[in-house]
Amino acid sequence: MSSLYKKNIIDHYKNPRNFKSLKTYNKRGFLSNTTCGDELEVFMYVKKSIIEDIGFQGSGCAISIASMSMLTEHIKGKNFNLITNLSDLEIFEMIGINKDTPRSSCVLLGLKTCKAVNDT
Amino acid sequence: MKIESARKDIPILKRSFNDRPLIYFDNAATTQKPTVVIDVLKDYYENSNANINRGLYSLSHESTKLWNNARDRVAKFINAQHAEEIVFTKSCTESLNLVANTFCRDFVQEGDVIVITEMEHHSNILPWQQIAKAKKAKLEWLPVLDNYELDLNYLDYLLLKYKERVRILSVSHVSNVLGSIVDIPNLAKKIHSVGGVLCVDAAQSIAHIPIDVQNLDCDFLAFSGHKVYSPMGTGVLYGKKHLLEKLNPWLTGGDMVNSMDKNSVEWASVPQKFEAGTQNVAGVLALAEGVSWLENFGWESLCLNEEKLVKTCLAGLLSICNIKILGKDIDSKRLGIVSFKIGDIHPHDIASLLDEKGIAVRAGYHCAEPLHKRFGFGPSLRVSFGVYNTQDEVKDFLNSIRSISNRFF
């Protein structure tokens, strides 16, 4: 059996991309996973529907942090509407974990947080 | 029976996960089932299935006799004075809800005090929180001290301040996170001094130490069958007979009245008035078999085996850098539950990595969020032992933990 913890996941966990809070932002989202205590907060600066900048803060397991890190890389510079259309399956494929995993709530916490953003 | 033979009785332990033999260390969540227990379920449905208490035919009579016999056996298991003091439920949770929704409904008034503790499982918090709200009663929490003991001074203070208005104290016999044993007879003495009652959540002690309700002097005691090598969907509420007799039923329905008409009802006697509707007869018969299976190993060797597993586990864990144990130290008497974390490594990651080696542990708050928050601990990993666990399994687990903490992060 191959490990859940592939190199890309460890890399993104140890060096999460866009791990910062934004000084200037107009959308913010926060979600926690109550069963494990993971908390993610995401900030976006969206101009003319384009995500010009994105940052996230929080604490969590390697899977939830890596997944969020990869997601921010994926959506930065793209149309904000992309988030609404992103499916769970695309996130599993992006991070390289089979969707039939006991860790699905960790994989998907980042996407859920991005989908839960409100205007500030 | 020798304890070494326990493994052979448990079919599921032959399974492998991720190409490694299963090491099952989540016994505080549920225990695995011996063949004798599984056989009872099959045998009941193949040979004795009929609804109890109401059929006049031989098959129903046989089923009823088996049911009553199971009650006798469970009563003996916890040394209840009367078999009628055993109420069958579907879970420990239901048993605790039953007490909250019967005793508190009739015997707690506005401004009375219900006491629980910071170390409780959510199932011994939420029923009291909800009934306290409904009755406008005060819900008081006994703090857990830094040494993981309950703050008995605070209990004394409450008893002095509110006196007979303290109606009930509900407490775990053993915390599902800390593993340490609460001195129940002492709490019974204290709460009885003001005329209050003591309810004990024995979910985590029932399969680990002999339970004698008369010695404990508790008024109610709840446990589930599935944590004592028996089927899920079975639970027990012990209640002192004179108390159960005073309570009105919570669930109402079939097979729990002597008589009724359009405007009135006469409840059946205890325990039948608390067992409305068709019961999990097969499950309860299997529960009676499960507790017998466990007792056959002898409590002395059961306790000794578990003590050795805990000592090996704690000693091994304490040799690892950045380990933090949530609970008492290695020299204290504690049952087979060890909760911990390693540095900043998230417990879910460690649990997944252990799973890749076939080792099943629990990660998270274990339905005891207030306790984790009390110690600012965040989520933890928990290993919990059963009768079939071995020293070799603990050593395998410790090797895996060492390699995860050394190599992975």
Side-chain angles (χ1 to χ4, degrees), chain A residues 1-5 10 13-14 34-38 60-63 103 106, chain B residues 18-19 344-346 348-350 352-353 355-356 363-365 369 379 408-409:
Chain A
M1 175 205 161
S2 66
S3 176
L4 201 61
Y5 295 84
I10 298 304
Y13 173 58
K14 288 191 169 176
T34 49
T35 57
C36 59
D38 288 5
C61 62
I63 307 293
R103 303 294 298 277
C106 312
Chain B
N18 304 320
D19 304 323
D344 292 332
I345 311 177
H346 197 288
H348 276 199
D349 292 324
I350 300 178
S352 285
L353 287 160
D355 180 50
E356 290 177 4
Y365 292 116
E369 247 182 282
F408 198 82
F409 288 94

Side-chain angles (χ1 to χ4, degrees), chain A residues 88-89 92-93 96-105 107-108:
Chain A
D88 293 355
L89 192 59
F92 283 108
E93 282 168 1
I97 292 177
N98 190 306
K99 66 178 167 54
D100 180 26
T101 170
R103 303 294 298 277
S104 60
S105 60
V107 174
L108 297 174

Side-chain angles (χ1 to χ4, degrees), chain B residues 256-324:
Chain B
M256 45 84 71
V257 300
N258 285 336
S259 65
M260 70 166 296
D261 59 30
K262 283 183 178 172
N263 298 311
S264 65
V265 58
E266 186 190 314
W267 306 124
S269 53
V270 294
Q272 211 178 328
K273 69 174 174 180
F274 297 109
E275 294 172 347
T278 294
Q279 300 295 300
N280 181 4
V281 180
V284 163
L285 303 193
L287 165 60
E289 195 62 33
V291 298
S292 295
W293 176 80
L294 181 66
E295 275 193 316
N296 278 337
F297 296 109
W299 282 110
E300 203 176 322
S301 58
L302 286 168
C303 293
L304 187 65
N305 184 55
E306 188 165 314
E307 195 182 319
K308 284 182 185 167
L309 294 173
V310 172
K311 293 257 183 222
T312 308
C313 180
L314 271 173
L317 286 175
L318 287 168
S319 70
I320 292 165
C321 259
N322 291 324
I323 196 98
K324 203 174 165 202

